[in-house]
């Protein structure tokens, strides 16, 4: 069963669950038809209808574009019915992999996107309703037509003919699957945005997020362009629920992903030019308007050509036409009379938009004042053009209305309170330091002074620059002094073979993070770790089958280490314990954390995940734990009599030192480095 979230706690409250249920139900409908029996299908359909019939339809919520709405909100008592529907659909989703293996294999990208909708890592409704581009990109109507054709038939049809020169297939199969995958990635990035917003933004968090967002957006643009360039004469439409042009925007389709891709292009440029994550919509709106204008212009030119052909062909038949035919003919003639006027209107609008775009694309922003000035220019442009419409010609693309919708996003960007934003980000840093105040030995004036210094620095951010810079230099010096002392202390423990105090390490890492954040904010200098992440090359991706097997093994290992950790802690003394056993316990905690991190990395599907490096860290963690286990065994071997607590601990130690333990063999560990039972421990720390 998916890990269902508390849908009522989100921005859209009681609407959110209903939205997800609806999207999941219609997304999974083909798989439901293929897998469930007639009786099961009827039961699910009845449950779905009862769920939506229970709603109150007097509380409509609109997306920011007002192109999508959710009419229904339910009573809390009905939530379980919604969860039951999602649970049943999730069961169908899992069965599809077993019963329709070839289907899932051939259309894996589409299948994975349905999985994200069924069990999102965030609020699906908020992601879709608040995004400037996801609504346009979410053209799942172009999904494979599983209800009418077999997976193999659809696959072969979408492959198309083979190019004799290149050996490549001419159809859109690969391009379409890549497009689904890019949309799924962008949806997941929105969930990351939601998570970071709840945690609280900092400058470095925002920078890392924007790097990831830019990468995923560029991938989506590239995949769309490849799909758009497929030669499409409507020959592939029979294999899809909706025509391919509903994604590409060809053939005058009234809806498509084309405008959404325009937004992506604008937001990518905004990231390059220094705009913040909540300001990208400014250049995104320009990208949207440019794409909408191209679609409208293309439609206009096509229609003028077809009008001329029609009028020329039927001019001698006008007198014999019926009323409706004559009216249509006269409208075409009237359209042609205004052709040049409309062409000039489109030319003028295109020129003005290009001038605005050129200024924005060529300007790097570095201050709130500069951002507001440019945003105001976009706002003024939209207000001037929102009443645009061609003379007499009735276009599917209402440019004025389309432009005006962008005002929602632009006005939000103009409303950003930059002083408040700084205060909120400093509050996040302050909270981090406050949370680091843990442990019975904590309580240094040095640490408290730094916390106060950072707090005061935050209050000075909207004040005089010289005063602000001076305060920063003092805080930076205090942080560097603290870190120098703390690093020396921790390195000393490690040199003596001790595991450093966990709270001490945590406070050191917290203060290093604070220094990194402030150095980036005031000097624009990235921490070394961030630079390494930027320069890291893509690692060869493992196969989905192998990834699934390793995920399963890691999941089992996490369960085992959690149980081991619980046993180790329960065996500890009530009042005190030996340093040897304490270090062993800390080594088990560390191994569990390393394994959890590996499991998360595998599940994230990150292409930057370095398996070799992760395996080395995992192996080192096992080695360290075994060393600590043997230290304790050697220590206890000096005692002639073992009490019941000692025997309980020794049983745990022996299980850890056993070479038959399968969880220590998932990744290769140098056998020569693993402590053996007869190892002589020299310079073992004396008993405290």
């Amino acid at each position: 069963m998916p890990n269902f979230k508390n849908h009522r706690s989100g921005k859209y409250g009681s609407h959110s669950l209903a939205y997800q249920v609806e999207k999941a139900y219609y997304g999974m409908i083909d798989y439901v038809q293929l897998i469930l029996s007639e009786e099961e299908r009827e039961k699910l359909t009845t449950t779905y209808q009862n769920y939506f019939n229970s709603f109150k339809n007097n509380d409509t919520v609109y997306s920011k574009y007002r192109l999508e709405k959710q009419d229904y909100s339910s009573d809390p008592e009905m939530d379980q019915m919604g969860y039951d529907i999602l649970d049943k659909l999730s069961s169908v989703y899992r069965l599809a992999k077993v019963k329709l293996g070839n289907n899932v294999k051939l259309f894996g990208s589409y299948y994975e996107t349905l999985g994200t909708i069924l069990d999102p890592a965030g609020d699906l409704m908020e992601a879709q309703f608040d995004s400037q581009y996801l609504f346009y990109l979410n053209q799942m109507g172009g999904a494979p037509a599983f209800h009418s054709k077999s997976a193999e038939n659809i696959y072969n049809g979408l492959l198309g003919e083979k190019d004799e020169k290149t050996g490549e297939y001419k159809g859109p199969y690969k391009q379409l699957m890549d497009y689904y995958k890019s949309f799924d990635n962008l949806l997941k990035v929105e969930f990351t945005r939601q998570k970071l917003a709840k945690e609280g933004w900092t400058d470095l968090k925002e920078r890392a997020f924007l790097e990831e967002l830019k990468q995923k957006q560029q991938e989506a643009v590239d995949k769309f362009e490849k799909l758009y360039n497929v030669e499409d004469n409507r020959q592939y439409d029979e294999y899809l629920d909706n025509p391919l042009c509903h994604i590409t925007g060809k053939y005058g389709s009234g809806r498509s992903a084309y405008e959404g891709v325009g937004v992506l292009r604008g937001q990518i440029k905004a990231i390059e030019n220094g705009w913040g994550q909540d300001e990208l919509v400014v250049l995104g709106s320009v990208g949207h308007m440019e794409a909408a204008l191209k679609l409208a212009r293309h439609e206009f030119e096509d229609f003028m050509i077809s009008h001329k052909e029609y009028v020329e062909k039927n001019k001698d038949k006008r007198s014999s036409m019926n009323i409706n035919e004559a009216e249509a003919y006269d409208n075409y003639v009237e359209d042609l009379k205004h052709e040049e006027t409309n062409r000039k209107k489109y030319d003028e609008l295109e020129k003005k938009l290009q001038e605005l775009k050129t200024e924005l694309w060529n300007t790097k922003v570095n201050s709130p004042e500069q951002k507001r000035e440019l945003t105001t220019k976009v706002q003024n442009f939209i207000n001037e053009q929102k009443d645009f419409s061609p003379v007499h010609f009735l276009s599917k693309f209402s440019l004025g209305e389309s432009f005006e919708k962008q005002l929602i996003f632009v006005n939000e960007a103009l409303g950003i309170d930059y002083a408040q934003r700084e205060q909120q980000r400093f509050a996040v840093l302050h909270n981090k330091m406050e949370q680091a105040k843990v442990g019975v030995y904590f309580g240094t004036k040095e640490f408290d002074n730094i916390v106060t210094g950072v707090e005061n620095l935050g209050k000075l951010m909207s004040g005089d620059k010289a005063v602000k810079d001076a305060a920063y230099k003092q805080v930076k010096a205090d942080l560097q002094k603290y870190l120098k002392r703390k690093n020396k202390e921790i390195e000393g423990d490690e040199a003596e073979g001790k595991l450093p105090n966990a709270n001490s390490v945590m406070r050191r890492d917290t203060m290093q993070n604070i220094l990194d954040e402030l150095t980036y904010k005031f000097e624009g200098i990235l921490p070394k770790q961030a630079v390494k992440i930027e320069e890291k090359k893509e690692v060869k991706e493992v196969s989905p089958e192998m990834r699934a097997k390793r995920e399963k093994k890691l999941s089992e290992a996490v369960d085992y280490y959690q149980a081991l950790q619980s046993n180790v802690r329960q065996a500890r003394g009530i009042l005190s314990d030996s340093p040897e056993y304490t270090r062993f316990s800390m080594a088990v905690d560390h191994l569990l954390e390393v394994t959890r991190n590996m499991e998360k990395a595998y599940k994230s599907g990150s292409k930057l995940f370095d398996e070799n490096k992760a395996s080395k860290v995992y192996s080192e963690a096992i080695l360290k734990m075994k060393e600590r286990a043997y230290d304790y065994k050697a220590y206890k071997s000096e005692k002639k009599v073992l009490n019941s607590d000692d025997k309980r601990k020794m049983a745990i130690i022996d299980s850890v030192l056993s070479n038959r333990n399968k969880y220590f063999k998932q990744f290769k560990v140098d056998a020569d480095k693993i402590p053996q039972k007869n190892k002589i421990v020299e310079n073992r720390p004396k008993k405290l």
Side-chain angles (χ1 to χ4, degrees):
M1 180 173 179
N3 181 24
F4 296 127
K5 308 292 186 293
N6 180 4
H7 292 79
R8 292 183 175 274
S9 65
K11 178 177 179 181
Y12 293 102
S14 57
H15 295 81
S16 184
L17 176 59
Y19 182 85
Q20 185 185 343
V21 170
E22 184 179 24
K23 296 300 178 186
Y25 180 81
Y26 285 108
M28 287 292 298
I29 196 68
D30 285 344
Y31 286 122
V32 167
Q33 295 290 333
L34 291 170
I35 288 175
L36 296 185
S37 66
E38 184 177 353
E39 182 180 351
E40 288 177 310
R41 290 199 303 270
E42 288 180 0
K43 184 178 179 181
L44 177 61
T45 302
T46 301
T47 304
Y48 179 81
Q49 290 172 346
N50 289 340
Y51 177 63
F52 276 89
N53 288 338
S54 71
F55 288 172
K56 306 167 185 174
N57 59 354
N58 58 354
D59 188 20
T60 300
V61 175
Y62 289 92
S63 66
K64 286 187 177 180
Y65 274 122
R66 296 190 72 82
L67 295 175
E68 191 173 14
K69 67 178 182 176
Q70 180 57 258
D71 292 319
Y72 305 111
S73 62
S74 64
D75 294 325
E77 295 78 30
M78 302 305 297
D79 285 356
Q80 187 57 50
M81 189 181 291
Y83 294 144
D84 290 343
I85 295 170
L86 289 175
D87 189 29
K88 185 62 177 178
L89 292 172
S90 298
S91 175
V92 172
Y93 181 79
R94 291 190 296 269
L95 284 170
K97 204 164 190 176
V98 179
K99 295 188 175 183
L100 305 173
N102 203 36
N103 180 307
V104 172
K105 183 179 179 181
L106 294 174
F107 299 95
S109 297
Y110 174 71
Y111 179 80
E112 288 175 15
T113 303
L114 291 176
T116 301
I117 293 171
L118 269 170
D119 188 20
D123 191 312
L124 181 67
M125 183 174 179
E126 184 177 336
Q128 285 277 123
F129 268 46
D130 290 359
S131 172
Q132 195 181 20
Y133 51 81
L134 282 182
F135 170 81
Y136 289 99
L137 300 181
N138 184 20
Q139 299 300 334
M140 296 303 283
F146 295 134
H147 58 87
S148 61
K149 299 179 185 297
S150 69
E152 293 76 11
N153 190 318
I154 297 171
Y155 169 71
N156 290 324
L158 291 177
L159 275 180
E161 298 177 358
K162 198 171 187 178
D163 190 313
E164 295 181 0
K165 293 182 179 179
T166 64
E168 299 285 333
Y169 286 96
K170 297 180 180 180
Y173 167 74
K174 184 179 185 305
Q175 295 85 340
L176 190 59
M177 293 304 104
D178 288 344
Y179 177 79
Y180 288 144
K181 181 65 176 177
S182 68
F183 169 78
D184 190 41
N185 288 337
L186 286 174
L187 184 56
K188 289 174 180 174
V189 172
E190 286 305 309
F191 297 148
T192 300
R193 190 199 300 266
Q194 292 174 9
K195 178 177 177 290
L196 291 173
K198 288 177 182 177
E199 292 175 356
W201 289 100
T202 66
D203 290 0
L204 283 178
K205 275 186 180 180
E206 181 179 49
R207 187 186 191 282
F209 171 76
L210 289 175
E211 286 296 318
E212 180 186 7
L213 178 64
K214 179 186 173 185
Q215 177 193 353
K216 300 303 182 187
Q217 288 182 334
Q218 188 60 59
E219 284 177 3
V221 171
D222 294 343
K223 302 307 181 187
F224 174 83
E225 287 180 348
K226 288 182 179 180
L227 181 61
Y228 187 88
N229 289 332
V230 171
E231 186 177 346
D232 174 23
N233 297 313
R234 312 297 292 263
Q235 69 269 42
Y236 306 110
D237 291 355
E238 64 176 295
Y239 304 104
L240 302 170
D241 282 343
N242 280 325
L244 190 61
C245 61
H246 278 204
I247 297 177
T248 62
K250 294 179 179 179
Y251 300 110
S253 175
R255 65 170 191 174
S256 72
Y258 196 87
E259 290 137 304
V261 174
V263 174
L264 293 180
R265 291 190 175 103
Q267 290 204 6
I268 290 168
K269 194 62 185 178
I271 294 172
E272 294 173 353
N273 286 357
W275 295 77
Q277 61 87 21
D278 50 353
E279 304 156 347
L280 305 180
V281 293
V282 179
L283 272 68
S285 66
V286 176
H288 181 282
M289 290 187 287
E290 182 181 41
L293 177 55
K294 285 182 179 178
L295 287 175
R297 187 68 185 261
H298 186 72
E299 178 205 40
F300 171 76
E301 298 296 349
D302 282 350
F303 270 50
M304 290 303 101
I305 292 172
S306 64
H307 282 18
K308 288 176 183 176
E309 291 176 351
Y310 181 84
V311 170
E312 183 64 27
K313 183 179 179 180
N314 294 283
K315 61 182 179 180
D316 296 332
K317 302 176 184 178
R318 170 65 179 81
S319 58
S320 61
M321 290 180 179
N322 61 39
I323 296 176
N324 292 333
E325 292 173 338
E327 185 179 352
Y329 178 88
D330 292 343
N331 278 328
Y332 280 18
V333 171
E334 191 67 22
D335 283 345
L336 291 173
K337 285 182 181 178
H338 299 288
E339 178 183 2
E340 289 308 313
T341 300
N342 285 330
R343 185 169 280 111
K344 287 179 182 179
K345 289 190 72 170
Y346 280 121
D347 287 345
E348 184 180 354
L349 177 59
E350 192 173 327
K351 180 182 177 182
K352 289 179 179 178
L353 182 57
Q354 188 58 44
E355 289 173 354
L356 177 66
K357 178 187 173 183
T358 299
E359 181 178 6
L360 286 160
W361 261 238
N362 293 336
T363 304
K364 302 284 186 181
V365 292
N366 48 37
S367 71
E369 294 74 23
Q370 188 183 22
K371 292 176 181 178
R372 284 198 184 98
E373 180 184 351
L374 292 172
T375 305
T376 300
K377 288 185 177 182
V378 177
Q379 183 190 54
N380 292 339
F381 175 86
I382 295 174
N383 282 323
E384 290 169 4
Q385 305 300 330
K386 65 183 181 181
D387 294 325
F388 175 90
S389 63
V391 179
H392 194 269
F393 176 68
L394 185 61
S395 171
K396 289 182 182 178
F397 303 95
S398 177
L399 285 179
E401 182 181 341
S402 178
F403 286 13
E404 189 174 12
K405 282 184 170 63
Q406 297 305 310
L407 273 178
I408 300 168
F409 298 97
V410 174
N411 289 341
E412 281 188 358
L414 271 177
I416 294 173
D417 186 330
Y418 288 95
Q420 184 183 52
R421 174 197 277 179
E422 285 291 357
Q423 290 298 317
Q424 290 171 342
R425 295 193 176 188
F426 267 92
V428 173
L429 302 184
H430 183 263
N431 289 339
K432 277 188 178 181
M433 292 186 290
E434 288 293 329
Q435 290 169 7
K437 292 182 178 182
V438 295
V440 293
Y441 299 111
F442 177 74
T444 65
K445 187 175 181 181
E446 179 186 21
F447 192 96
D448 285 336
N449 287 341
I450 295 174
V451 174
T452 302
V454 173
E455 186 178 13
N456 291 335
L457 179 58
K459 296 175 182 178
L460 297 172
M461 288 304 291
S462 58
D464 182 75
K465 185 177 185 302
V467 175
K468 180 173 59 178
D469 289 346
Y472 161 65
K473 287 180 181 178
Q474 183 60 54
V475 170
K476 180 181 179 182
D478 292 342
L479 280 165
Q480 289 174 330
K481 182 179 177 182
Y482 172 86
L483 287 168
K484 183 178 180 181
R485 180 181 64 79
K486 187 60 68 175
N487 281 326
K488 186 176 180 181
E489 175 186 311
I490 292 170
E491 288 167 5
D493 285 344
E494 291 174 342
E496 294 178 15
K498 303 176 184 177
L499 275 179
N501 179 274
N503 289 332
S504 183
V505 173
M506 181 266 291
R507 285 193 287 274
R508 186 275 309 272
D509 293 345
T510 297
M511 287 308 202
Q512 184 63 60
N513 177 253
I514 300 301
L515 178 60
D516 291 343
E517 287 282 357
L518 295 178
T519 304
Y520 179 63
K521 181 182 289 290
F522 283 87
E523 302 179 47
I525 299 174
L526 283 168
K528 292 180 180 179
Q529 186 180 11
V531 173
K532 286 180 181 177
I533 291 174
E534 272 193 338
E535 295 173 349
K536 194 170 183 180
K537 294 181 180 179
E538 187 172 300
V539 180
K540 186 177 180 180
E541 195 172 5
V542 298
S543 68
E545 294 79 10
M546 184 61 71
R547 182 178 293 277
K549 287 181 182 179
R550 291 177 183 174
E551 277 184 25
K552 182 181 178 182
K553 286 184 179 180
L554 284 168
S555 180
E556 291 174 352
V558 168
D559 292 341
Y560 171 77
Y561 294 141
Q562 282 178 332
L564 176 62
Q565 181 191 58
S566 177
N567 291 336
V568 169
R569 290 180 175 179
Q570 289 174 11
R572 297 194 67 171
I574 297 175
L575 299 176
S576 63
D577 231 318
S578 64
E580 287 83 357
Y581 193 78
T582 299
R583 295 187 190 107
F584 168 66
S585 177
M586 293 174 68
V588 172
D589 293 344
H590 176 63
L591 177 56
L592 174 59
E593 181 183 3
V594 168
T595 312
R596 280 174 172 163
N597 290 339
M598 288 185 69
E599 182 188 29
K600 289 178 183 177
Y602 262 106
K603 287 184 176 179
S604 71
S606 172
K607 291 184 179 180
L608 296 179
F609 174 58
D610 190 334
E611 184 181 346
N612 292 329
K613 185 175 180 180
S615 299
K616 182 180 178 182
V617 173
Y618 180 78
S619 301
E620 289 172 350
I622 292 175
L623 174 62
K624 180 63 70 176
M625 182 188 66
K626 286 200 169 189
E627 286 177 346
R628 297 309 185 201
Y630 190 77
D631 283 349
Y632 178 76
K633 189 177 179 91
Y635 159 64
K636 280 297 176 183
S637 65
E638 298 173 359
K639 299 182 68 174
K640 294 182 179 180
V641 180
L642 300 179
N643 60 32
S644 58
D645 288 341
D646 293 335
K647 291 177 180 178
R648 183 181 181 186
K649 292 174 184 175
M650 288 300 290
I652 296 172
I653 295 297
D654 287 340
S655 72
V656 166
L657 292 176
S658 171
N659 287 324
R660 294 190 298 272
N661 193 313
K662 69 175 183 177
Y663 296 107
F664 301 156
K665 294 182 178 181
Q666 288 185 61
F667 297 95
K668 186 178 179 181
V669 182
D670 190 340
D672 295 335
K673 294 182 180 180
I674 297 178
Q676 303 301 315
K677 291 186 178 182
N678 60 352
K679 175 182 172 183
I680 298 175
V681 181
E682 298 180 356
N683 299 322
R684 178 172 51 79
K686 292 182 179 180
K687 191 174 179 181
L688 296 179

